[in-house]
Amino acid sequence: MSHLKSRYHQVRQRSEKLCEPLTIEDYLPQPADFGSPPKWNLAHVSWFFEELVLKPYQKGYKPFNDDFGFLFNSYYNTLGDRTLRTSRGDLTRPGVDEVYRYRRYVDEKMDELLSGELTDEEKDTIILGLNHEQQHQELMITDMKYMFSLNPLHPVYEKSFNLLAGKNKESGWVDIKEGVYEIGHTGDGFCYDNELGRHKTYLHDAQISKALVTNGEFLEFIEAGGYENFKYWLDEGWSWVSANGVKHPLYWKNLDGSWHQFTLAGLKKLDPDAILGHINFYEADAFARWKGMRLPTEFEWEAAADKFDWGERWEWTNSAYLPYPGFTTVEGPAGEYNGKFMVNQMVLRGASVATSEGHARKTYRNFFHPPLQWQYSGVRLARSI
Amino acid sequence: MSHLKSRYHQVRQRSEKLCEPLTIEDYLPQPADFGSPPKWNLAHVSWFFEELVLKPYQKGYKPFNDDFGFLFNSYYNTLGDRTLRTSRGDLTRPGVDEVYRYRRYVDEKMDELLSGELTDEEKDTIILGLNHEQQHQELMITDMKYMFSLNPLHPVYEKSFNLLAGKNKESGWVDIKEGVYEIGHTGDGFCYDNELGRHKTYLHDAQISKALVTNGEFLEFIEAGGYENFKYWLDEGWSWVSANGVKHPLYWKNLDGSWHQFTLAGLKKLDPDAILGHINFYEADAFARWKGMRLPTEFEWEAAADKFDWGERWEWTNSAYLPYPGFTTVEGPAGEYNGKFMVNQMVLRGASVATSEGHARKTYRNFFHPPLQWQYSGVRLARSI
Amino acid sequence: MSHLKSRYHQVRQRSEKLCEPLTIEDYLPQPADFGSPPKWNLAHVSWFFEELVLKPYQKGYKPFNDDFGFLFNSYYNTLGDRTLRTSRGDLTRPGVDEVYRYRRYVDEKMDELLSGELTDEEKDTIILGLNHEQQHQELMITDMKYMFSLNPLHPVYEKSFNLLAGKNKESGWVDIKEGVYEIGHTGDGFCYDNELGRHKTYLHDAQISKALVTNGEFLEFIEAGGYENFKYWLDEGWSWVSANGVKHPLYWKNLDGSWHQFTLAGLKKLDPDAILGHINFYEADAFARWKGMRLPTEFEWEAAADKFDWGERWEWTNSAYLPYPGFTTVEGPAGEYNGKFMVNQMVLRGASVATSEGHARKTYRNFFHPPLQWQYSGVRLARSI
Amino acid sequence: MSHLKSRYHQVRQRSEKLCEPLTIEDYLPQPADFGSPPKWNLAHVSWFFEELVLKPYQKGYKPFNDDFGFLFNSYYNTLGDRTLRTSRGDLTRPGVDEVYRYRRYVDEKMDELLSGELTDEEKDTIILGLNHEQQHQELMITDMKYMFSLNPLHPVYEKSFNLLAGKNKESGWVDIKEGVYEIGHTGDGFCYDNELGRHKTYLHDAQISKALVTNGEFLEFIEAGGYENFKYWLDEGWSWVSANGVKHPLYWKNLDGSWHQFTLAGLKKLDPDAILGHINFYEADAFARWKGMRLPTEFEWEAAADKFDWGERWEWTNSAYLPYPGFTTVEGPAGEYNGKFMVNQMVLRGASVATSEGHARKTYRNFFHPPLQWQYSGVRLARSI
């Protein structure tokens, strides 16, 4: 079996493995418009292979169901109409079984394709599809966590599925020396278009922490009145805190004076030494100000990434999500993958405990809107010197 | 088996019968805040027996699950906190199986209670619970229809479940003679507290139509520009039409010049001779004005109800939902059943094809907010003479 | 000078008299969409004479400014497009001076018309215009009060303009005996179309209070936790209280433990013996329930109105605003005056200290939406016996 | 008279000069929450001198009115509570006269201060206050234009106040050569804290247009269906276009097939050769994509600014508003001036016809949210090579 075919199987199986602890009911809800139901996620990643690989490259391919092109499109205007992003949780048909049949059908056809000769373009698109599915695997985890967290019964997804971050293995600071650095992806491996255009950037003297911020450190911020003092917050952040009466991170709960956090393994006592997560940009930025420091830029992060541990938490940077010099998009749906989101979002670097194996690299640029908290996102401090 | 026990079984079975065509997925969504998921409805009606019958009257009753008191409360403030009305579709646990186990448990305990001696108060509360469940049966039908209607695949609930109204059997007018009439429930049978307080009202000469308005008649209104001319509409109705760009009733679809309507049996060609349904108060009122007539009051309706056929469509009246003279509410949760909704709603009289058997009577007062269309609601014309 | 002409002058002058304490700035703002700026009110009542009297009845009438037909239309769809109801406060041109010139122009032309022979239709429309202007005089007072109340400086409109209600002159109860009563306007005097159709109604034994509820009585409700206990509130009322965190009536302020109320004569200590005002329907209804009583219907009120004092506060009834039997509207703009608002509003009876002289009568039907508090609205209790 | 004193007078007079064409009514409205009323602007800039200069530096200074500290605070949390940003248009008192008296009072006290010895800190704060007032002068112009534009009568602010941009004086491209460039303010002159921290940045080969985009060029975009084709738009931009049904720039009107634009000198025929303005970031970005180019970064712009004409239109860049390396804020209210807005806004470079004399410099960083159109903002194209 070719490497690509075996990787295809591995990635596809991982999506289904993630759904094993689910009841049929769990597959359906979409409790917030930033998330999607597991059923939709499972179908949408298959739709991606159907639309971008099988339809263009498999001769005489017959779609599993003509309506699915419409039902499981996420945001690709190129590929026609789509259902409203916010009503995915209301579509009970096709059911979960049918979605699995859809996956089987796509897998079978993909197997045929993968057994033959593939052009480079075909291979690249398949690899894009696998990376796309891995991204959705991570979203499935975070969306399920969010959905379960709303249930007053605190359901357990899987007792042994421990996505609590561990402790920092190192402390101290990495020095970044003033000078010109090369940024962006290089080499043969897969990357997204937004990482391309390896280019030079000029950095100034700075330091970046080897350790990520822990729960205990953030607790100090709370106890010092951090959520009540405007001066640590960006103006938008302060509005967010005030309008929502925020007093602590998402998933934290104070029960009879003792801090807990909701996890996919159930409600757990908060471990002060463990790495902090589910922080939005405003909270990350406010914490850094309170410490008299700042968030690193994505360029500082990438330049120093070989000198510290990363991979437990996506790390907010103080860089806006913008194109690299010379950034271009391809024609067609793949061109809608990244470029059209390059406004009003902030870059996160690293990866998280929810990231699929083989999906992390130091040039990876993740991005979310500043108020969003439902990712496994944390804080690494930096300071100019 | 006592009559009450056998009625209990019959009503309870009907709720589950209605769910037979559903997939597990169908039990979950709540696509609009005026509706509820089937799973929630099934559990809530059992909760009603648990809270209002078993807990107070069954010695040593142990609740099936202490959390359900909170999860399945609808709007009874007397009975403590409850989940947000709008997030019922996000709660996947307890699952459908567990809800059926809950029903089995409640049924078993109710069976024990029903096998013993019952006080009149106990009987009355059980009968209230059965009527409550019948109301929710009707809501389940209308909520399921609404949910399926949003699916671009037009799912079929049940091919043979034909809730299309038939044709009028009569035409012409019933005369209502000026004078004093008695209004409100009388006799030994069950009724809600809002029907009580039989009292006199004074009516003036008027006529009320023997027939309900048909699809074809409403089509004439559409074709005459009824939705485009402010002068037929109440000010609020005109705002509703303008803000939502309404051009036809809910569930009507014009496909290539031919009118269809979505039904629980699938998408069907519109039958112009069949009785119109799914009309809100604004539409009913505008249609009547366009005809140079008006809607009847609920008192006219009740006074003449023996002289025309009714029961296919809930019929909008021009009466606001207000207390009858001397209306009082009982202490405790049953007192929250009706009285607290007596503002900003309009009364509907009659019953519909979705109403459970034995649940209709001519003094029944149904009530909804003027913009709501998802009930099997129709129009009967009246005129002063 | 004819009686009508002299009445015309008197009414028109009263509008301007009311604006004497205003600065130019005060004429402009529209702080809530239920109110209108004084400048707009002054112009709109003149527009009414221009559109409904001068244009149709004055041969060769040349409008003061062709754009005003558009700018100062309130809600008459018959008369063409109009500016958005909510943006009246943004239109600085025409200015206050120009609006007074407009009034002068209209007055001059009306004088000419009033000096000639008038048909009955012409007279009736002019009288309608005068009543219309009187209605807007009352709105001007309540809108100005609302606008000033938002200013943290507590501006004084006019020190001697005392609209605080006095004390009740009577106490005890009026008996209403069961039987048929005649309701609706009779006689030659002016009335609105919604009062017409004198008709019979059947009332049941009841009592209605001779006194209106006082500030002190309402304070007892507050101190008894009335705003914190759902059981006194209609469901919608409880949502209103909860969503807005309401703890006391509009315009009440507790300063260092002492209750004050904002008035057009400045911030005043609350007089517990004075009659309560600025209560919305939900508050009126909740207070009555707390007392174990209810609000009267508009029919009870009218039947008993000769036996108690009224006129200080518009009094909420428990009657929805609906047409009387045989109600019809005239063709044209005057037909839009009342009828199209007959849904989702409650009737108030009586009059208030802000009502213009000669504008009150016992058949008068005022109506507002249940949440509105900015009128001089109070509570008279009733009870069935 | 010292240079600073004479500059103080000059700047202060300019604010009042701008208000000369206004009626009293024009001073009041706040038609959108992104703008402020002229009266508020006039008072707020004086409040700035009172709070940041007179209170701390003038011994024994007595505030003009203690309430003004509260009424005319814009967004300085350090300085205490403030009125709601969105209700400025509802405060009629203090009136326009009183605000001018406030200005006189502040000017008098400032004159005294400016006649004595000043420390460097005092001078710096006064200069900051003058720049602050100049910023508000520009906002006054754009806010007034927006307010007048909503009036269906198209009021003329001042016939001779011609803020229409002229034509481009040059065409062709400026080359930017790859290498390290110095960015940020240098020298003794005034600048804001966000321009400080002169630092190196690395640029890649690119070209930037000498000319700004004209009305005629943008018209081609419209005629080519630019507003109807998703592929030119950022995802957020496309949502903005779709939700608002945008078809052309703000202030453009097509009257009988002929394009006009609303200006402070009245409604004018659109000049295709004149420079385009009132474009938001989404429109600027979409236009550039349609041309197959892009917007410059703020660094490219600054590096090349000596080689092209600028100053007619603020120019959108593709740089997010973020801190320069080593950016710090001072303690106290001046520290809230810029830093707390550094998220979700885009940088504009240059200046506009509405910018006050002496207020422009090539390191100036203006910033607005991407959807805002009410500034004199235009488009300069760039391209990587």
Side-chain angles (χ1 to χ4, degrees), chain A residues 25-26 67 92-93 96 151, chain B residues 25-26 92-93 96 151 153:
Chain A
E25 293 89 338
D26 294 334
D67 293 314
T92 61
R93 318 277 181 100
V96 173
N151 192 320
Chain B
E25 293 89 338
D26 293 335
T92 60
R93 319 276 180 101
V96 173
N151 192 319
L153 307 184

Side-chain angles (χ1 to χ4, degrees), chain C residues 316-329:
Chain C
W316 286 105
T317 72
N318 203 41
S319 296
Y321 182 48
L322 292 170
Y324 283 172
F327 173 74
T328 52
T329 54

Side-chain angles (χ1 to χ4, degrees), chain A residues 21-32 39 65 67-68 70-71 83 89-97 147-148 150-153 155-157, chain B residues 21-32 39 65 67-68 70-71 83 89-97 147-148 150-153 155-157:
Chain A
L22 299 185
T23 65
I24 298 293
E25 293 89 338
D26 294 334
Y27 280 89
L28 210 68
Q30 182 185 29
K39 191 186 81 172
N65 181 325
D67 293 314
F68 285 19
F70 167 76
L71 286 176
T83 55
D90 297 329
L91 302 182
T92 61
R93 318 277 181 100
V96 173
D97 272 7
M147 186 262 282
F148 284 132
L150 299 177
N151 192 320
L153 307 184
V156 172
Y157 162 74
Chain B
L22 300 184
T23 65
I24 299 291
E25 293 89 338
D26 293 335
Y27 280 89
L28 210 67
Q30 182 185 30
K39 191 187 83 173
N65 181 324
D67 292 315
F68 284 20
F70 167 76
L71 286 176
T83 55
D90 297 329
L91 303 182
T92 60
R93 319 276 180 101
V96 173
D97 272 7
M147 186 262 283
F148 284 132
L150 300 177
N151 192 319
L153 307 184
V156 172
Y157 162 75

Side-chain angles (χ1 to χ4, degrees), chain A residues 25 28-31 86-92, chain B residues 24-41 44 71 73-74 83-92 136 139-140 142-144 146-148 150 374:
Chain A
E25 293 89 338
L28 210 68
Q30 182 185 29
T86 47
S87 62
R88 290 171 184 166
D90 297 329
L91 302 182
T92 61
Chain B
I24 299 291
E25 293 89 338
D26 293 335
Y27 280 89
L28 210 67
Q30 182 185 30
D33 58 6
F34 55 72
S36 292
K39 191 187 83 173
W40 189 92
N41 272 317
H44 166 69
L71 286 176
N73 185 353
S74 53
T83 55
L84 272 184
R85 168 122 181 71
T86 47
S87 62
R88 290 172 184 166
D90 297 329
L91 303 182
T92 60
H136 278 273
L139 290 171
M140 279 166 71
T142 52
D143 291 357
M144 292 185 306
Y146 186 76
M147 186 262 283
F148 284 132
L150 300 177
W374 96 121

Side-chain angles (χ1 to χ4, degrees), chain D residues 12-28:
Chain D
R12 297 282 289 171
Q13 277 157 22
R14 159 90 170 146
S15 299
E16 301 185 10
K17 178 91 186 144
L18 281 172
C19 293
E20 273 175 15
L22 299 185
T23 65
I24 299 292
E25 293 89 338
D26 293 334
Y27 280 90
L28 211 67

Side-chain angles (χ1 to χ4, degrees), chain A residues 44-89:
Chain A
H44 166 69
V45 291
S46 305
W47 167 95
F48 192 98
F49 283 110
E50 193 171 56
E51 289 293 326
L52 278 83
V53 178
L54 292 168
K55 284 189 184 175
Y57 304 135
Q58 175 84 304
K59 228 186 196 153
Y61 176 75
K62 280 187 56 171
F64 178 72
N65 181 325
D66 286 332
D67 293 314
F68 285 19
F70 167 76
L71 286 176
F72 298 119
N73 185 352
S74 53
Y75 57 71
Y76 299 86
N77 294 301
T78 313
L79 298 170
D81 287 341
R82 46 197 157 109
T83 55
L84 272 184
R85 168 121 182 71
T86 47
S87 62
R88 290 171 184 166

